[in-house]
Amino acid sequence: MELIFLFLWGLLRSGEAAGHGNGKCLAPHYIEFAEITIDRVMVGSKVRYMCETGYIRIIGKSNLIVCTNDTGLIHWTTKASVCKRNSSATSQPSERKPEYPVTIVPSDTAGYCGIPSPVEHTTPRLTEYAVGQKLHYKCLRGYDARPPTSDISTCKEEHGKTNWTRPSLLCTNDSKSEEEMTQPIPITVAVSTVFPIIFIILGWIIVSKLWRRRSLTEDVKIEKTKSILITAASVEMESEEEAHRLKSNM
């Protein structure tokens, strides 16, 4: 009985996950010198109201709103005051992680959420995106020298994981194509330049060998001269000894 209950509970859980589509994408890809816009915010996407400098979130107040569907009426959940002035704030600015905001642009398309209602002393930031959401990337003016200068990134769910597709644009002010920048620089050497170099190398090798051979010959000559001188000195010494012996005998 217990096994049957666990089996039915597992089916119910799997059906809920498939039906609600709980997968969400978080921060999109960052591309330097590109702006990111969104004109059709899908149901399930979330926005957080970030307090401006010098203000803090009121304790117990949620700063999160959701794009929801109420019986065909698609809208953002409303939010009243969220932030209050921070009386203990110092002159030093608070450290925050760098943000790459996505700008929500006005759209008259039905079935999507538009720009969230403004809340005093806050800045709305999209933090979660529903599967299927599309973001538009476009290179800033001055960094659109190389096409493509715009692309779309889509939140997709594959194998139980949600990820953004990577936009294929590189915003730069360099008009050279990527292939031209990555191709090796061709090296061309004229034949009239190659042959003199070869002759110089061969000549250097021949001269080195001749010099080495000459050095060896001179060393042999010196050794022979030394041997001759030593032999002559020995003969002369023997002659002097013989003469001295004869003189003594007389």
Side-chain angles (χ1 to χ4, degrees), residues 138-180:
K138 185 178 180 180
C139 294
L140 298 173
R141 185 182 297 275
Y143 294 91
D144 53 358
R146 189 192 310 165
T149 58
S150 62
D151 202 358
I152 294 175
S153 179
T154 306
C155 175
K156 289 188 174 182
E157 184 173 6
E158 295 179 351
H159 309 295
K161 294 183 179 181
T162 54
N163 289 293
W164 290 104
T165 58
R166 184 171 294 277
S168 59
L169 74 159
L170 177 64
C171 300
T172 178
N173 55 4
D174 189 351
S175 59
K176 290 183 180 180
S177 66
E178 190 172 359
E179 291 183 357
E180 290 176 341

Side-chain angles (χ1 to χ4, degrees), residues 90-112:
T90 60
S91 58
Q92 295 180 350
S94 60
E95 293 185 0
R96 281 187 178 179
K97 293 182 179 179
E99 297 177 352
Y100 312 121
V102 176
T103 304
I104 303 175
V105 297
S107 175
D108 297 330
T109 305
Y112 300 92

Side-chain angles (χ1 to χ4, degrees), residues 11-235:
L11 288 177
L12 179 61
R13 294 289 296 172
S14 62
E16 287 177 351
H20 286 82
N22 293 324
K24 297 288 190 297
C25 284
L26 301 179
H29 293 291
Y30 170 70
I31 295 182
E32 193 175 14
F33 306 124
E35 62 176 354
I36 312 173
T37 59
I38 181 173
D39 58 353
R40 298 177 180 180
V41 183
M42 296 180 62
V43 172
S45 298
K46 297 179 181 180
V47 163
R48 286 192 182 276
Y49 286 98
M50 311 303 293
C51 294
E52 296 175 350
T53 304
Y55 291 82
I56 59 174
R57 187 158 64 91
I58 300 171
I59 298 176
K61 289 274 190 178
S62 173
N63 63 345
L64 182 68
I65 61 173
V66 183
C67 179
T68 185
N69 184 354
D70 286 338
T71 62
L73 178 62
I74 298 175
H75 63 91
W76 289 106
T77 53
T78 57
K79 190 64 60 179
S81 181
V82 174
C83 303
K84 66 177 182 179
R85 183 175 290 278
N86 186 5
S87 58
S88 62
T90 60
S91 58
Q92 295 180 350
S94 60
E95 293 185 0
R96 281 187 178 179
K97 293 182 179 179
E99 297 177 352
Y100 312 121
V102 176
T103 304
I104 303 175
V105 297
S107 175
D108 297 330
T109 305
Y112 300 92
C113 286
I115 299 175
S117 300
V119 175
E120 193 176 16
H121 307 305
T122 66
T123 302
R125 289 281 185 268
L126 277 160
T127 56
E128 292 186 15
Y129 305 82
V131 173
Q133 183 66 68
K134 295 181 183 296
L135 297 180
H136 300 268
Y137 285 75
K138 185 178 180 180
C139 294
L140 298 173
R141 185 182 297 275
Y143 294 91
D144 53 358
R146 189 192 310 165
T149 58
S150 62
D151 202 358
I152 294 175
S153 179
T154 306
C155 175
K156 289 188 174 182
E157 184 173 6
E158 295 179 351
H159 309 295
K161 294 183 179 181
T162 54
N163 289 293
W164 290 104
T165 58
R166 184 171 294 277
S168 59
L169 74 159
L170 177 64
C171 300
T172 178
N173 55 4
D174 189 351
S175 59
K176 290 183 180 180
S177 66
E178 190 172 359
E179 291 183 357
E180 290 176 341
M181 294 181 69
T182 55
Q183 280 182 353
I185 300 174
I187 301 175
T188 56
V189 181
V191 175
S192 57
T193 307
V194 173
F195 281 119
I197 294 174
I198 294 174
F199 287 141
I200 291 172
I201 294 173
L202 290 175
W204 180 80
I205 293 172
I206 294 170
V207 169
S208 299
K209 287 185 176 181
L210 291 175
W211 181 262
R212 193 178 298 114
R213 188 175 299 172
R214 179 182 176 184
S215 298
L216 292 173
T217 303
E218 289 181 353
D219 290 341
V220 171
K221 287 181 178 179
I222 292 171
E223 291 296 328
K224 286 183 177 180
T225 303
K226 286 182 178 179
S227 179
I228 292 170
L229 291 174
I230 291 171
T231 303
S234 299
V235 171

